[in-house]
Amino acid sequence: MLCCYAASAFAQFEGEIDMKTTSSQGGNGTSKIKVSKAGDFRIDASMTMPMKMGNAAEPMAMQMTMLKKKSAPDVMLMLNDKQKTYSEIDLKKMQEMSAKTAPEGYAVTKLGTEKILGYTCEHVKLTKSGSKSGVAEMEMWLAKDVASYELYMQMQGQQAGFAGTEMGKALKAAGVEGFPVKSIAGGGNYAVTTEITKIEKKSVPSSAFEIPAGYTKQAGGMGAAMEGQMTPEMRKQMKEMMEKAKQDAGKS
């Protein structure tokens, strides 16, 4: 997850956005996004992954809170409410890592307009440039009356070099604006659908974007923060899965 930092990105919206995500492979999640007038945002997300870890009877479930302050453009904070800790994610470093694998660009096909939640959305299909399969990398329904695409990138944590930035360039070139009210990513037998379920424009207190009192900093960035969400059994099983993946990669 990771941003363009245009000051105008937040001028269009202040309030809360509820979203849900579903996967064709069984994973799902919900999130509540709070955006301040000052340009800060907070994401409280809950997700369930279809894989079962060890002797666990249920699929793996995780909860996380992400904080982004406009005053610190290269840092995303991840809170662990169970351990009362927070981790700093270096967005600039992740940008540099991802730039090596960023796609060259996308072709945009306009598919018409549709109404979702009362908003007029432009339906578009984005396909990787040079793709011969014709399978959409992403379908989006964007509404400029909600907020900007730059705000969406902020929430995703996108920075230059990520696929989202390349999509943004392609959309701008095609004259398409707005915040994705719905999107479908993937192709073939795999797809992830994300859609807004509620939009409420209102004032949000500044306290929502601060690290809670009593929380201590945890070293290790995103990796340590994600690991902190797991039970000891889950961490053991995840380590075994990663070791097996390395072994399989070495055999190929």
Side-chain angles (χ1 to χ4, degrees):
M1 296 177 354
L2 308 197
C3 270
C4 298
Y5 303 109
S8 61
F10 294 100
Q12 300 180 46
F13 184 83
E14 179 187 11
E16 297 182 359
I17 299 175
D18 291 350
M19 307 185 78
K20 69 174 182 179
T21 300
T22 54
S23 166
S24 59
Q25 301 298 314
N28 61 78
T30 60
S31 60
K32 178 178 286 291
I33 302 165
K34 297 180 181 180
V35 183
S36 77
K37 188 175 182 179
D40 304 328
F41 69 84
R42 172 191 180 115
I43 303 175
D44 292 288
S46 175
M47 64 189 73
T48 301
M49 302 178 187
M51 61 181 177
K52 295 182 179 181
M53 306 291 286
N55 298 320
E58 300 294 333
M60 180 178 170
M62 299 183 70
Q63 292 184 327
M64 65 182 67
T65 297
M66 310 290 289
L67 297 179
K68 181 71 183 61
K69 302 281 286 185
K70 185 181 178 182
S71 59
D74 293 326
V75 178
M76 182 88 81
L77 301 177
M78 181 180 286
L79 306 186
N80 186 323
D81 293 325
K82 291 182 179 180
Q83 298 182 358
K84 293 190 179 300
T85 61
Y86 70 93
S87 300
E88 292 186 353
I89 300 170
D90 187 336
L91 298 179
K92 188 174 182 179
K93 183 177 180 180
M94 297 191 74
Q95 170 193 0
E96 294 170 352
M97 292 173 60
S98 67
K100 300 176 182 179
T101 58
E104 294 181 359
Y106 292 86
V108 178
T109 302
K110 297 182 180 181
L111 302 176
T113 60
E114 300 176 30
K115 282 274 190 179
I116 301 179
L117 296 178
Y119 291 91
T120 299
C121 302
E122 185 154 11
H123 183 192
V124 299
K125 178 176 72 174
L126 296 105
T127 308
K128 282 185 179 181
S129 298
S131 173
K132 298 180 180 180
S133 65
V135 177
E137 175 77 7
M138 176 86 77
E139 278 192 67
M140 287 184 170
W141 289 255
L142 300 109
K144 59 183 179 181
D145 292 336
V146 175
S148 67
Y149 186 80
E150 285 82 2
L151 173 57
Y152 173 71
M153 283 293 93
Q154 287 264 18
M155 293 174 179
Q156 298 298 309
Q158 300 286 355
Q159 291 209 46
F162 278 72
T165 303
E166 297 304 317
M167 288 182 184
K169 291 178 182 178
L171 290 168
K172 184 175 182 179
V176 180
E177 301 178 52
F179 190 96
V181 177
K182 179 180 178 181
S183 65
I184 302 176
N189 296 322
Y190 179 75
V192 176
T193 301
T194 301
E195 54 193 320
I196 293 176
T197 57
K198 181 181 178 181
I199 301 172
E200 188 174 5
K201 296 182 178 181
K202 64 177 186 179
S203 177
V204 182
S206 58
S207 59
F209 310 100
E210 301 295 336
I211 300 172
Y215 279 51
T216 58
K217 184 177 179 179
Q218 179 182 34
M222 180 177 285
M226 296 294 287
E227 186 175 326
Q229 299 281 343
M230 302 180 185
T231 64
E233 178 67 14
M234 287 180 176
R235 286 195 289 269
K236 179 182 177 182
Q237 293 296 319
M238 182 63 75
K239 183 178 180 180
E240 292 176 353
M241 290 170 60
M242 293 178 67
E243 290 177 350
K244 185 178 185 303
K246 289 181 180 179
Q247 292 175 359
D248 293 342
K251 293 177 182 179
S252 59

